[in-house]
Amino acid sequence: MGYEEAGRDRSAEPSPGVPAAVLENVFDDPSHGEPGRDRIGVHLGWELLLLAGLAAVSWLLWQEDPGAVRDGNLRTLLIDAVGLGLLVLAAGLSLRTAAPNLAVGPIAVAAALHYAEQGDRGLPASIGPAVAVAAVGGLALALAVVVLHVPGWAASLAGAAAVVVYIERRSAPVLVQGDYDPSGSAGYLFAGFAAVAVLGGLFGAVRAIRRLVGRYRPMADPARRRGAVAAVVTAVALVISTVLAALSGMLLAANDRGPVSPTTGLDWTVLAIGVALLAGTSAYGRRGGVFGTLLAVGLVTVFQVYAPERGWELSNWAVGGAALGVGLLATRLVETLGRPRSGSLEPIEPVGDGTISSGWTMPQPQSVDNWPPTLPTQAAPQPVDPWRDPRWEDGPRRWDTDER
């Protein structure tokens, strides 16, 4: 099927007189977007608020129960953060591509049930099939989204319904059969998650990568296709999203020795989407922060440990709903303050080669009204009076010749 829009192969020239090569370096989306570069400073400012919130809740937890952040409890806390973090990465990646995956919660619960039943067969035999099935399911979801070009939230909601049917085949909680304890490598797992989250944010801040990942984001009519490149990137993101969700569910099941309940998992979807938005990821796609995912996951994880210490019984629905509400405000903030400044195209003149310039600059375009600029303006020719022609006085007269 054709994915390219009509006119996409033509070079964009939104401003007359500005070369396309210059636009490629100035526009975040030269073909379908606003002139100028996205501003990352608003994300860093929001992440400072998240850091302050994480420090405050951690201090309150320390004051309430210092043992909650020591030894075995600390390792359990780190694994819980990694499990939630993988789910938030799955949701955040789909959000960045403007194709939100609402099936991440049910996928995590289904993977947790599978691990609980097959864990005694060893990690490769229990994790491998779950990851393979998640990848195939993610590919089917991706094909539905990019081939039919339908909203990701709608297609993934249909996929979530199919996963819930699989979950409802179990009528009772399932005890974890395996003996794998991830708390022994809690530090390494958390360091790996932190590295993936921060490096992903750093790469996402690069203009070319941000433009590539967010290419599926609609700029005009959302029903119009955004091109083959956007379709491929979105499909890969959805496959990775489903695999991360499955890994999250199995890790959380291994970290909790209690039985895995066959719930729908939609509360985990709300929690994951809410924390991803709280991290500064835009609900419209493309825009996102650097450290936001790590800080938001840490804040919510610590708060979920602190709440029972104060006697608050809060479900994933409550925490996820609150995070979702604040995250929507964050989306409005980053979309308002993170977009290019109005008129940011004008400072591109004069065109040079940046800080390595040796002083040479390109000549400025001249106005066509004075073309050519180097030729002097000539005076209008004066009409010649034929009766004052010198030939009437100096040249031979015809009648004189006849007389001779």
Side-chain angles (χ1 to χ4, degrees):
M1 299 182 66
Y3 290 99
E4 296 292 340
E5 299 173 351
R8 174 178 282 276
D9 55 345
R10 297 193 298 267
S11 60
E13 291 284 352
S15 180
V18 183
V22 176
L23 294 177
E24 186 70 18
N25 293 325
V26 176
F27 281 50
D28 256 346
D29 194 344
S31 300
H32 303 84
E34 297 174 287
R37 302 176 182 177
D38 286 348
R39 291 178 281 176
I40 306 298
V42 61
H43 294 282
L44 299 179
W46 178 256
E47 288 164 5
L48 287 177
L49 295 178
L50 292 177
L51 179 60
L54 174 59
V57 176
S58 300
W59 182 82
L60 291 174
L61 177 60
W62 173 267
Q63 293 294 317
E64 194 70 27
D65 183 13
V69 290
R70 289 177 180 172
D71 302 331
N73 291 331
L74 178 60
R75 289 192 292 269
T76 301
L77 179 66
L78 291 178
I79 296 299
D80 286 339
V82 175
L84 177 60
L86 291 176
L87 200 62
V88 173
L89 285 177
L93 180 60
S94 65
L95 283 172
R96 289 289 287 262
T97 56
N101 186 359
L102 302 186
V104 291
I107 291 172
V109 173
L113 289 170
H114 169 80
Y115 176 78
E117 295 172 345
Q118 306 295 329
D120 55 346
R121 301 174 55 189
L123 286 180
S126 59
I127 294 179
V131 171
V133 171
V136 173
L139 181 60
L141 172 62
L143 291 177
V145 171
V146 301
V147 173
L148 299 178
H149 194 73
V150 294
W153 65 265
S156 61
L157 192 59
V163 178
V164 170
V165 171
Y166 167 80
I167 295 173
E168 288 181 340
R169 295 175 58 188
R170 296 158 180 82
S171 58
V174 180
L175 290 173
V176 178
Q177 303 299 316
D179 56 356
Y180 170 67
D181 185 8
S183 62
S185 54
Y188 297 105
L189 291 174
F190 184 80
F193 156 69
V196 171
V198 174
L199 289 177
L202 287 173
F203 280 113
V206 178
R207 183 174 64 254
I209 297 178
R210 183 175 64 251
R211 182 193 307 166
L212 178 65
V213 172
R215 197 178 181 89
Y216 201 73
R217 168 173 168 158
M219 290 296 177
D221 184 358
R224 295 184 61 184
R225 298 184 184 276
R226 292 286 289 153
V229 175
V232 171
V233 171
T234 304
V236 172
L238 287 173
V239 172
I240 296 176
S241 175
T242 56
V243 171
L244 289 176
L247 291 174
S248 170
M250 290 183 287
L251 183 61
L252 291 174
N255 191 46
D256 188 1
R257 289 303 170 182
V260 179
S261 301
T263 61
T264 62
L266 293 177
D267 55 336
W268 285 100
T269 294
V270 172
L271 181 63
I273 297 290
V275 176
L277 294 179
L278 181 65
T281 305
S282 173
Y284 296 101
R286 195 178 81 186
R287 294 189 170 99
V290 178
F291 305 97
T293 299
L294 179 62
L295 295 174
V297 167
L299 173 60
V300 173
T301 303
V302 174
F303 177 78
Q304 286 182 317
V305 176
Y306 172 71
E309 297 290 340
R310 296 297 306 269
W312 303 337
E313 296 295 334
L314 300 177
S315 64
N316 286 340
W317 289 106
V319 178
L324 193 61
V326 179
L328 291 176
L329 295 178
T331 288
R332 185 69 269 156
L333 181 68
V334 300
E335 287 293 335
T336 301
L337 302 180
R339 66 179 57 178
R341 294 183 178 89
S342 59
S344 58
L345 182 61
E346 298 179 359
I348 64 174
E349 299 179 353
V351 180
D353 53 2
T355 57
I356 62 173
S357 175
S358 58
W360 295 93
T361 58
M362 295 179 61
Q364 302 300 317
Q366 301 292 333
S367 173
V368 296
D369 296 336
N370 297 327
W371 178 260
T374 58
L375 297 180
T377 303
Q378 299 183 1
Q382 298 293 331
V384 179
D385 187 0
W387 299 104
R388 297 184 58 85
D389 193 331
R391 292 179 301 172
W392 291 98
E393 299 178 359
D394 301 335
R397 298 187 180 98
R398 184 175 179 180
W399 51 84
D400 292 340
T401 305
D402 293 341
E403 291 177 357
R404 295 195 185 118

